[in-house]
Amino acid sequence: MLTLTTHVLLTVLLPLAPRAADEPVSFQHQVAPMLVAHCVGCHNDQKAESGLNMATFARMLKGGDVVGEGIIESGKPEESHLIAVLRPDAEPRMPLKQEPLSDTQIALLERWVAEGAKFDGPSAEETPLRALVDPLTLLPRVAASAGAVEPVTALVYTPDGSKLLAARGLDVLVIDPAEKKTVATLSGHPGPIAALQVTGDGSTLVVAGGRAGQFGAVAVWDLKSNEKLREFRGHADTILSASLSSDDQTLATSSYDRLIKIWNVHDGSEL
């Protein structure tokens, strides 16, 4: 669930990343943030007001009790219920008991529908809309007034003891314990890291974490080249722990969403 602070920030800062005027509207980068900020809080897996569940794109297209699949008529914004209920004169007008969307935001949604209401995220059926939105990218950059050091949140040695992997912030430091120095930094993780696992032959590192209230994320790294092999997401909240099977073929992850998921390490598919 979005915190009140995050919700307010999203509401103030949307819409969104500027794009060229002739580019098609991106659902992932332009539409999803609006829906997450203004709609998903009342239309989700746990609380589907009027039968409308907007947890994923596919569920949203099914509509709700008031209107079914006509909620979005591809290419026809004037016939799409989603657009109609956002207009200032709608009764009831959505989002309920909130400030109405601006003319610019509604026009953007109309254009997206007119262009075919296309989905450009990872999976229309499985990817939560909240997982498409990274609130931190919307915040203004503010220069730090004092130095700060990220805490180490996970540690693991390779089986031969030649490398020590330390998670700190969004990075994993590859440390040579004999020389007592960092030899590489594995960066680009989408959220804080909670767990590290190394395969039995020491060739591969599995990194697990995510964003609280949004998604869990797993990254698989080649420790010989220090290159990311793949990244996959699941869970409705951050991953708290992870464990590899003895044959290094599967990964178990547990999350604050109170689920344990089993994954194929080699392709990221959920088993």
Side-chain angles (χ1 to χ4, degrees), residues 14-15 34 38 86-88 95 99-109:
L14 294 173
M34 279 193 282
H38 299 286
L86 296 176
R87 301 193 186 283
E99 290 296 318
L101 268 64
S102 68
D103 292 343
T104 300
Q105 289 174 307
I106 295 174
L108 185 68
L109 286 167

Side-chain angles (χ1 to χ4, degrees), residues 30-218:
Q30 295 173 280
V31 175
M34 279 193 282
L35 300 182
V36 169
H38 299 286
C39 308
V40 176
C42 292
H43 302 283
N44 53 64
D45 288 333
Q46 290 75 38
K47 179 185 178 184
E49 291 287 351
S50 300
L52 175 59
N53 186 345
M54 302 176 73
T56 68
F57 185 78
R59 290 173 202 166
M60 178 179 70
L61 291 185
K62 294 179 181 178
D65 299 337
V66 177
V67 62
E69 295 181 356
I71 186 171
I72 296 177
E73 295 288 351
S74 178
K76 302 175 181 178
E78 293 301 324
E79 299 179 20
S80 298
H81 184 72
L82 178 67
I83 303 297
V85 296
L86 296 176
R87 301 193 186 283
D89 59 351
E91 186 59 45
R93 191 265 303 157
M94 297 293 163
L96 196 65
K97 298 180 181 179
Q98 295 184 38
E99 290 296 318
L101 268 64
S102 68
D103 292 343
T104 300
Q105 289 174 307
I106 295 174
L108 185 68
L109 286 167
E110 289 177 335
R111 183 178 156 203
W112 170 69
V113 174
E115 291 172 348
K118 297 178 181 178
F119 179 79
D120 56 357
S123 170
E125 292 75 22
E126 300 295 333
T127 304
L129 296 194
R130 282 174 173 160
L132 299 175
V133 181
D134 182 358
L136 297 187
T137 63
L138 304 174
L139 299 179
R141 293 188 176 275
V142 179
S145 59
V149 178
E150 294 274 10
V152 172
T153 54
L155 285 169
V156 65
Y157 274 100
T158 53
D160 63 3
S162 64
K163 295 177 181 178
L164 172 64
L165 293 310
R168 192 175 73 183
L170 305 183
D171 301 328
V172 176
L173 308 182
V174 182
I175 300 168
D176 182 333
E179 297 294 329
K180 299 180 180 179
K181 65 179 183 180
T182 300
V183 296
T185 300
L186 312 181
S187 302
H189 298 99
I193 299 164
L196 300 173
Q197 291 277 287
V198 177
T199 55
D201 61 4
S203 66
T204 307
L205 171 69
V206 177
V207 182
R211 286 279 171 79
Q214 296 183 55
F215 59 84
V218 176

Side-chain angles (χ1 to χ4, degrees), residues 235 238-242 252-261:
H235 293 288
T238 187
I239 293 171
L240 300 178
S241 63
T253 58
S254 64
S255 165
Y256 194 75
D257 66 6
R258 293 186 267 182
L259 294 176
I260 294 173
K261 291 180 180 285

